[in-house]
Amino acid sequence: MSATIKQGLTADTVRELSEARNEPEWLLERRLDALDALEDAQLPDVIQTPGRRWSNLTELQFGKLVDPLNQVDETERVTDEGIEVLDFETALDEHEDLLREEFGATLDPETNYLTALSAALFTTGTLIYVPEGVDAEDVKIRTEMRSRSLFSHTLVVTEESASVTILEAIGDEGPTEDDEGRYFSNLVEVAAGPNSNVQFGSLQDLSSDAYCYTLKRGDAGDHATIDWIEGNYGTQMTRSDVETELNGEGSESQIVGSFFGHEDQHFDVNARVWHNAEHTTADLVTRGVLDDTARSVYEGVQDVGRDAWDTSSYQRENTLMLSDESEADASPKLIIKNHDTEASHSATVGQVDEQDLFYMTSRAISPEQARNMLVEGFFVPVLEEIAVEEFRDDVEELVQQRLD
């Protein structure tokens, strides 16, 4: 596997990272376990069609991209009354027992090669802890990446009947001077307690020579709700996985995704949900636009377990292509092991509707303006789901920048 950097990455490197942050022994051991897992771990599965592998992650040159001991970021954390939004070093001082119990409990660091690499090398991280009954809004984590590589970990824990709305955004200083690129990795865990509500919005706008890998995974307790909003606009290649396990009775999850690729960008977008308990509900909605020679591949999975009686599960994926050279593929999957299920899934890939364009241009609207209006309208179902006004404004601005 050409992606490996294990030859240049040693236990001493990991120990140096841990010692610099004055971490306890248990966290160092977890880093070292993740490092050992690299020996046998595999890269994430990718969609394959006859004669084609849509995302070739093995081409990533981690040996050049990853510089473990020189990670630099500028992160702003905005909290709300009654909750804790802490960097990991502070969280270790104030909530070590909680961190020890929940870190890696929802998202297995050894899921694949990229998660193990991230768990061994992360230098920036955030704990968001929402106590029982507290309702928090407009929690923000805005990170600017200031190094060739950056590994991040975000942990959200909500207690019973708590509620929180979070925006996490990542950007950087612009393309690297030598054009060899950057690498950003982010693992996100959400442990939603009974009857709690989490909306987690993520916005990625890295520079055009960057590579990005993210895996976000939630565990929803009884009658809990985890809603994800995922926006990908930057990088030359993005691999994004968003997953929810509906483990509690009556739990719910919505995964809303959007992307807008141009030039030679590549997006590998995945949304998955597991119905493991009774009376659970899921709704997966993804909308993407591709221009120039941009490419996308989407996989959505709804997995209904044997004990998931009275399940409702829906999935829709739509990709709009603005040029004949752009490419897209979609693979929605429905796995049902319980007959007491109401479910549907669909995916479409197509060009701008010629009849709509004709209708608008026949009313004195220029072809370019008409196309832009149709694209803006295409994203409306996604924008309507974003509760944070600042996040919604950011997405609208990024879409407008692509159209200008």
Side-chain angles (χ1 to χ4, degrees):
M1 183 169 59
S2 62
T4 183
I5 65 166
K6 186 65 170 65
Q7 290 179 343
L9 177 61
T10 67
D12 286 342
T13 304
V14 172
R15 288 193 179 91
E16 188 170 345
L17 283 172
S18 184
E19 287 172 6
R21 286 154 186 80
N22 196 28
E23 291 176 351
E25 187 66 22
W26 66 264
L27 186 50
L28 170 60
E29 290 301 321
R30 296 193 190 185
R31 286 181 181 272
L32 293 173
D33 288 345
L35 179 70
D36 290 341
L38 292 176
E39 294 285 355
D40 300 315
Q42 300 297 313
L43 288 168
D45 291 336
V46 299
I47 295 294
Q48 298 186 61
T49 52
R52 182 165 188 178
R53 188 178 181 87
W54 277 80
S55 299
N56 194 351
L57 299 176
T58 60
E59 290 183 349
L60 294 177
Q61 298 296 316
F62 286 110
K64 295 180 180 178
L65 290 171
V66 175
D67 189 1
L69 298 178
N70 291 292
Q71 300 182 57
V72 182
D73 67 285
E74 184 71 29
T75 297
E76 176 191 19
R77 296 176 177 86
V78 178
T79 187
D80 197 0
E81 187 175 352
I83 73 168
E84 310 251 22
V85 181
L86 307 171
D87 63 79
F88 259 38
E89 292 173 51
T90 305
L92 283 168
D93 288 336
E94 300 183 9
H95 295 286
E96 183 177 347
D97 289 344
L98 176 68
L99 209 58
R100 183 170 186 167
E101 179 180 350
E102 297 292 349
F103 182 83
T106 299
L107 195 166
D108 183 356
E110 299 178 14
T111 298
N112 59 54
Y113 185 90
L114 300 183
T115 58
L117 188 66
S118 201
L121 300 181
F122 78 94
T123 57
T124 186
T126 302
L127 168 67
I128 300 171
Y129 170 55
V130 189
E132 181 177 348
V134 174
D135 184 3
E137 297 181 352
D138 293 342
V139 174
K140 302 182 184 75
I141 308 165
R142 287 192 175 274
T143 299
E144 182 173 288
M145 180 178 176
R146 295 185 174 177
S147 50
R148 183 173 295 280
S149 59
L150 184 66
F151 294 86
S152 177
H153 198 112
T154 302
L155 173 60
V156 181
V157 180
T158 57
E159 292 188 342
E160 184 170 356
S161 301
S163 177
V164 63
T165 300
I166 302 162
L167 164 62
E168 187 176 67
I170 178 69
D172 59 29
E173 303 169 295
T176 53
E177 292 182 359
D178 55 14
D179 292 328
E180 290 193 351
R182 302 178 190 273
Y183 179 70
F184 175 69
S185 173
N186 189 25
L187 305 184
V188 177
E189 300 181 81
V190 174
N195 199 39
S196 66
N197 185 305
V198 178
Q199 183 175 88
F200 193 100
S202 178
L203 185 60
Q204 179 269 112
D205 185 30
L206 293 165
S207 57
S208 58
D209 65 346
Y211 299 86
C212 178
Y213 172 72
T214 65
L215 173 56
K216 302 178 175 72
R217 192 176 181 94
D219 177 350
D222 286 349
H223 304 289
T225 299
I226 300 176
D227 292 337
W228 306 93
I229 299 174
E230 178 85 352
N232 286 295
Y233 294 86
T235 74
Q236 59 177 297
M237 174 181 278
T238 291
R239 166 70 185 226
S240 167
D241 294 76
V242 182
E243 304 175 341
T244 305
E245 285 199 37
L246 295 169
N247 292 321
E249 180 179 350
S251 56
E252 301 180 10
S253 184
Q254 183 182 53
I255 302 175
V256 177
S258 71
F259 58 87
F260 194 152
H262 71 156
E263 298 177 346
D264 195 33
Q265 286 185 286
H266 182 108
F267 294 102
D268 188 328
V269 178
N270 304 274
R272 304 182 184 92
V273 61
W274 289 269
H275 295 265
N276 296 326
E278 298 181 3
H279 314 302
T280 57
T281 301
D283 189 17
L284 283 56
V285 182
T286 299
R287 291 207 161 199
V289 174
L290 301 173
D291 201 356
D292 305 321
T293 58
R295 302 168 302 283
S296 73
V297 58
Y298 165 86
E299 182 186 72
V301 177
Q302 304 149 267
D303 190 316
V304 181
R306 295 187 185 280
D307 299 325
W309 299 93
D310 187 26
T311 291
S312 298
S313 191
Y314 310 98
Q315 178 181 184
R316 304 173 302 284
E317 198 280 337
N318 307 100
T319 304
L320 184 64
M321 296 190 294
L322 304 182
S323 81
D324 294 334
E325 289 73 37
S326 58
E327 296 180 292
D329 190 38
S331 177
K333 297 176 180 175
L334 188 53
I335 304 167
I336 299 178
K337 306 183 188 78
N338 186 305
H339 63 80
D340 188 16
T341 297
E342 181 177 304
S344 65
H345 66 303
S346 65
T348 65
V349 175
Q351 306 277 353
V352 173
D353 190 282
E354 291 296 333
Q355 286 191 340
D356 290 342
L357 272 177
F358 176 77
Y359 176 83
M360 297 174 75
T361 53
S362 67
R363 280 153 178 77
I365 300 174
S366 70
E368 182 179 356
Q369 185 181 5
R371 187 200 71 159
N372 291 352
M373 291 172 67
L374 289 170
V375 171
E376 290 171 350
F378 181 76
F379 278 112
V380 166
V382 172
L383 295 169
E384 287 178 341
E385 300 299 333
I386 302 176
V388 181
E389 183 177 356
E390 183 179 334
F391 187 8
R392 189 165 55 247
D393 291 344
D394 286 347
V395 172
E396 288 180 318
E397 184 179 346
L398 288 169
V399 170
Q400 194 59 53
Q401 286 175 4
R402 285 285 191 273
L403 295 172
D404 289 341

